[in-house]
Amino acid sequence: MYLLGDGAELERVKLKAKNLKTESAFFLGNVDNVQKYLWDSDISLHSATYEPFGLVLIEAMAAGLPVLTTNGKGNVDVIEQGKNGYILREDTNVFVKKINELKQNEKMYSKLSNFCEEYAMKYNIDNYTTRLIAYYETILNKSN
């Protein structure tokens, strides 16, 4: 498990991992090459309690990763429950149960992963600029 970034809870999480004697948690801090870790992963866990938009979630989806997250406000605008991930309550057991469900159900995982990639394409810069230009053209046409 790659743990990227930092925050107020980092030391507590490190201590918890140490107490559990886990050897599979790698605390990497802030990294410049997030995409490398996304491509090497199966699921994206995002437990931040506040996320204004959810760009980090879209980046994970672009790598085909189903997202398990909490309701960080902006996350609800990005997650389509059961299609590209799940908004879960802040409960470790709920996260573990959903991780196991995804690991054990290859068909469900594949369906979510494929939809994630499709969904992320809505935010591709080419698609976005095309929609933005079309929007501005309709405004210009209305004013003429």
Side-chain angles (χ1 to χ4, degrees):
M1 174 172 43
Y2 301 120
L3 292 111
L4 306 179
D6 61 10
E9 297 294 318
L10 180 60
E11 291 308 314
R12 192 171 71 85
V13 173
K14 282 182 177 179
L15 181 61
K16 182 78 168 177
K18 182 179 178 181
N19 290 341
L20 291 172
K21 295 181 173 56
T22 181
E23 295 177 14
S24 59
F26 301 97
F27 293 88
L28 304 174
N30 292 323
V31 297
D32 293 327
N33 55 343
V34 172
Q35 202 64 29
K36 172 199 178 307
Y37 296 99
L38 293 175
W39 288 112
D40 287 343
S41 300
D42 297 315
I43 298 171
S44 177
L45 303 178
H46 188 71
S47 60
T49 56
Y50 180 68
E51 183 68 45
F53 171 66
L55 181 59
V56 67
L57 307 180
I58 293 168
E59 291 171 338
M61 287 182 226
L65 301 180
V67 176
L68 304 182
T69 187
T70 59
N71 182 352
K73 310 302 181 250
N75 298 356
V76 298
D77 296 328
V78 177
I79 297 296
E80 292 189 22
Q81 195 75 350
K83 290 184 173 183
N84 59 2
Y86 297 91
I87 294 178
L88 306 171
R89 68 177 196 271
E90 296 174 38
D91 180 333
T92 305
N93 294 322
V94 172
F95 273 79
V96 169
K97 183 178 178 184
K98 189 56 73 176
I99 291 167
N100 287 329
E101 184 180 344
L102 288 171
K103 285 181 68 174
Q104 294 168 3
N105 189 332
E106 190 175 317
K107 185 176 179 180
M108 181 175 76
Y109 176 87
S110 182
K111 186 176 177 180
L112 265 74
S113 179
N114 290 334
F115 186 78
C116 284
E117 291 180 31
E118 289 175 32
Y119 184 89
M121 286 304 293
K122 292 189 330 186
Y123 296 92
N124 174 291
I125 191 68
D126 295 331
N127 295 339
Y128 181 75
T129 53
T130 300
R131 290 193 324 253
L132 191 59
I133 290 169
Y135 172 73
Y136 286 134
E137 285 174 348
T138 60
I139 291 173
L140 287 174
N141 290 335
K142 287 180 182 178
S143 65
N144 291 332

